[in-house]
Amino acid sequence: MQVKGIPAARTMDSRAFTALAVQFRPSRLNGAGVCLYCETRWCQEAQCVAVHAKSLWAPCPQCDGFSFGRCENCLNGVVEVDRAGLIELADRVLPATPEQSAAFAVAA
């Protein structure tokens, strides 16, 4: 017998979901033209293009996106997430500056 109810799965309007998915997705090729997936310069592989088009990204929960290469958890402030991770982001209020981020709060 189930004692506690199972909470309903959160959903998101597909347009809002798509906009959020695109907003945080980094370029497939880095500044030097190297592919994130196959590590080939100027890659045009259909598989890499397709995987990247379906990928979902969000600001890093560890550094709130303010890594600038210092965070070991992310790629320039973003991490690849699944659909649930992106939906969770919809309720998150992102800080505007590093000083407003809990990730950079100085312990008293």
Side-chain angles (χ1 to χ4, degrees):
M1 180 168 107
Q2 185 176 352
V3 178
K4 273 180 128 175
I6 298 172
R10 292 174 36 203
T11 60
M12 182 185 287
D13 175 274
S14 65
R15 287 173 297 169
F17 183 83
T18 301
L20 205 51
V22 171
Q23 179 180 1
F24 296 110
R25 183 181 297 135
S27 173
R28 185 177 60 81
L29 303 179
N30 71 12
V34 177
C35 178
L36 291 174
Y37 300 97
C38 70
E39 298 182 349
T40 300
R41 193 173 314 276
W42 305 299
C43 166
Q44 295 297 317
E45 290 295 322
Q47 183 177 0
C48 292
V49 172
V51 167
H52 185 66
K54 292 179 183 178
S55 67
L56 304 174
W57 296 76
C60 175
Q62 184 173 322
C63 71
D64 279 334
F66 296 105
S67 74
F68 300 106
R70 297 182 305 261
C71 181
E72 297 174 0
N73 189 52
C74 64
L75 174 68
N76 294 324
V78 293
V79 293
E80 193 165 3
V81 297
D82 59 8
R83 186 175 176 95
L86 196 60
I87 289 172
E88 186 177 302
L89 175 67
D91 292 335
R92 186 171 164 204
V93 176
L94 295 171
T97 66
E99 295 78 22
Q100 296 170 340
S101 171
F104 293 92
V106 178

